[in-house]
Amino acid sequence: MKLFKISLFALLVFGLNCAKEEKIEIEKIIEKPEFTKAVAVVHPLGDSGVMGTVHFTAAENGVNVKAEISGLEPGKHGFHVHQYGDCTAPDGKSAGGHYNPADHEHSGPEEMMRHMGDMGNITADENGVATIDYVDNDIMMDMIIGRGVIVHAGEDDLTSQPSGAAGARLGCGVIGVQQ
Ligand code: CU
Ligand code: ZN
C-alpha cells in the first residue's frame, strides 16, 4: 500500500511537470507581439478637408493619445476609436460604431464605465486646428490596432446613447503599428 502511495505521488509530480512544460510551450506559441506605438493618419471624408495624425504610445498608466487635426470648424468635435479600420464609405459609416469590447454605455474618457473608444472631444482653435495630448486609462494598445479613428462635425455630449450625438463623420484613419 505504501509503495502504491509513493508511485501515485511520483506519477502526480510527473504529470504536473508535464502539464507545466506543455503550458509554457503553448504560451510561447500564442505569445502576442507587444505593441508600444501606433499611429492613425486621418483623411478627409468626402470634401470635409479634415485631416491629421493621431499617435498612441504605451504609457505608465495607459496609453498616451497625442493628435493634431486640421480643417475643422472652431469648437469641440467628437473624437473616438471606432470598431473597424474601414474608412471606405464616403460618410465614414464603414468604421462601425464606437469600439466597445466591454459592452458598456457611451460616456467620456474620464469615466470608469465607457466605450474603450470614447476619447471625448478635440477642440479646434480659430484656425480650425485641434490638438490633444492626454493619457487614456482604458485604451489597450493591442486591442485598438487595425481599428478606426473618427473625427466628428459636432460635439460629443458624453451622455447621449449610443455615441454622444456628435453628428457627421468628417475624418477617418486606420490605427497601424508604428516602429
Ligand atoms: Cu465617433
Ligand atoms: Zn462611445
Side-chain angles (χ1 to χ4, degrees):
M1 189 61 193
K2 196 177 175 190
L3 190 66
F4 173 71
K5 272 185 187 164
I6 290 166
S7 3
L8 198 67
F9 179 71
L11 201 67
L12 191 69
V13 169
F14 178 73
L16 280 175
N17 269 329
C18 282
K20 202 171 153 194
E21 272 165 31
E22 196 176 331
K23 188 164 173 261
I24 291 166
E25 280 302 309
I26 290 168
E27 274 173 359
K28 263 188 208 159
I29 294 164
I30 64 167
E31 189 183 356
K32 281 192 289 182
E34 270 190 31
F35 303 121
T36 55
K37 281 171 152 189
V39 62
V41 178
V42 173
H43 298 280
L45 289 166
D47 58 0
S48 75
V50 171
M51 61 177 81
T53 52
V54 186
H55 290 274
F56 299 90
T57 310
E60 188 113 344
N61 294 312
V63 172
N64 172 243
V65 180
K66 198 172 179 178
E68 182 173 322
I69 308 290
S70 63
L72 293 160
E73 291 287 319
K76 290 184 174 183
H77 298 269
F79 177 60
H80 319 113
V81 175
H82 283 240
Q83 192 170 5
Y84 307 114
D86 181 352
C87 300
T88 53
D91 62 359
K93 293 281 171 65
S94 48
H98 294 180
Y99 183 45
N100 182 25
D103 196 24
H104 288 156
E105 296 227 304
H106 175 71
S107 192
E110 306 291 331
E111 303 304 319
M112 287 285 290
M113 304 286 267
R114 50 171 268 199
H115 298 150
M116 188 185 287
D118 289 345
M119 301 189 291
N121 288 285
I122 50 173
T123 306
D125 62 16
E126 67 274 15
N127 300 313
V129 179
T131 57
I132 192 168
D133 186 352
Y134 79 104
V135 173
D136 194 296
N137 301 308
D138 201 40
I139 286 180
M140 295 177 78
M141 193 67 110
D142 286 346
M143 296 177 75
I144 60 162
I145 301 287
R147 302 190 185 279
V149 172
I150 292 279
V151 179
H152 291 264
E155 178 179 350
D156 180 340
D157 65 13
L158 312 180
T159 49
S160 294
Q161 299 304 320
S163 52
R169 303 172 183 202
L170 300 184
C172 183
V174 183
I175 302 168
V177 179
Q178 192 184 9
Q179 189 178 9

